[in-house]
Amino acid sequence: MGDDDTTNPWPEINPNRRAVWHRGWGRSEKNDEKNKKILLAFDNVKSLPLNSIIIQFWSPVTAIDGRRALSCSRNPFALSHANHRLWKYRTSCVKYYYSLNGSGDARTIIGGPPCTALRHHFPEVVLDLRAHQGTPMVDLALESELSCFMMLPVFKQSGSCIGVIEVSARLPPDLAVIFNELNRKLKIVGFSLTPPQSLCRPCKGVTGDSKSALCEIRMAVSLAVQSHAITLGHVWYPYENRCVRMPKSRTLLCRLASYGGVDNQDDDHLSFVKTFFGNFRVLPLIGRRGEGLIGRTLETHQPHLCRNIYKLSDNRGGPWALLSANVKSCACFVICLRSSHTGELDYAFEFFWPQSRNHLALMEGLLLTLSEKLPSFKHVSGAQLGNELPVVDVDSSSSGSGTAERKPIKVVPGGNKLPKVVVTRASVAKRRKIAADLHNDAKLDDLHFSSPPLTIVNNNQDDDDDLVIIIAVYKVYNRLFFLPSSATFEDVTDKIKREFEHELNPVDGTYKISYQVLPGMWHSLTDDTSLKSCVSSYQTSNNIDYIKLYVLPVVE
């Protein structure tokens, strides 16, 4: 080729991912419509890495020998045309079937994750394919530099499962991104990766006064999450009765209530926790004996703490693998309780927070809040919620041989082990500035301040004193003052009377005090127990700079 030859000897390579469907002969119009929708969803997923992922649809068919099986041949798929390894994997996949009847010829794979996902109606996730070498599809995936995959059952709005979507990738964290966007795009065309919520209920309802128990649960979990700045809190209960079109043999978890905390920069990386549980109202328990943090807690009735769920080996199966593989530096605490309203039904209260938080302080604060807001609930042993409680500390073995348990943690709600908060001169100045800024804005969550400046009381306290900072509001008047964290409810009421000595109207009679849990939500401050819960929230949260009190006259 001469120097003046401008012909490009290389073919043009388009690295973009493309969604493809080769329509075959003899396909019914019903199947064509289904595949058109799947293809549209695949084509609209734009966040996938260009050259390291393949997605393809496996649907039930009648194999050559007349048996039912799953096949991806002539079904939609998406990959990058520039990755010849993915093309090799795709052309090999179309030659195989996954048997749904337990038998077949040399081209048939007996069982496998796609069949399990179709039968159980939950995603099947494998984070390390090397642990499953020896089967044709796994060996093909490893040769194509794919290290993990997930098999996702696809549901129509009626709840019937129409097939399974395979997502094979090079890196496990990519699976979470794909799951979220793929689920959104499928819903646009009338499909979903999770069953409709209307179908996610047991055949037999919960006995007893379930409404009263649920009311307590919602109030307690909402308060605990917001007042302690927790990423997510929710409550599960187990049942063995089948959901509609789900197997009878599996023990499932049904979510009763779920509340997410206020997002902040410290736990942005935990946003997938909320997204994950937002997609699943029903989840399977792991294993026959209930491995996994919730399973262990329900089986032993002992509270469990895992300081980093990313390393929890029990969570390496099914949809739980999506959670643990994509959320690093996240702690989880689970406690099992029973309500007198519903007899022997076990409830699993589960809470997530960043690994950097003080676990002991948070558990003490949580248990104190739960003991105040769950009057009908006790431990399965019958012990009261406010008693000292041993918590099983679960750690993941670095050798990969399983999980280990540290020495149990003794948690005393509101006890002396609650870490002291040292208010230095700098932090006091910072919090005063925050209060002054709020005063200048002339509004604190719809509570208006008066024009006189905020008064600073106890200004000469030693820097090392354990203080809490309080803003109290009465009508249009406000006061900013400090009190020791050991102050009693009587100390608080006396302080308020002195601070508002000239403003309180004797004609109004008695007064009540409320403290703010979150904007628009106030809880009564009536005794030492509620005060301890209020102070505990202040001490354990990085987002609460002061305690807000609202003084109101009691209307007879």
Side-chain angles (χ1 to χ4, degrees), residues 347-360:
Y347 297 88
F349 290 72
E350 184 178 31
F351 300 93
F352 295 89
W353 58 72
Q355 189 183 14
S356 58
R357 301 287 298 277
N358 187 315
H359 306 306
L360 178 60

Side-chain angles (χ1 to χ4, degrees), residues 100 133 145 175 211 242 247 251 259 274 285 454 458 491:
L100 295 172
Q133 294 185 51
E145 298 183 350
L175 298 180
K211 290 185 178 180
R242 62 174 293 179
T251 300
Y259 295 91
K274 298 178 183 178
L285 273 173
L454 295 170
N458 291 345
D491 295 333

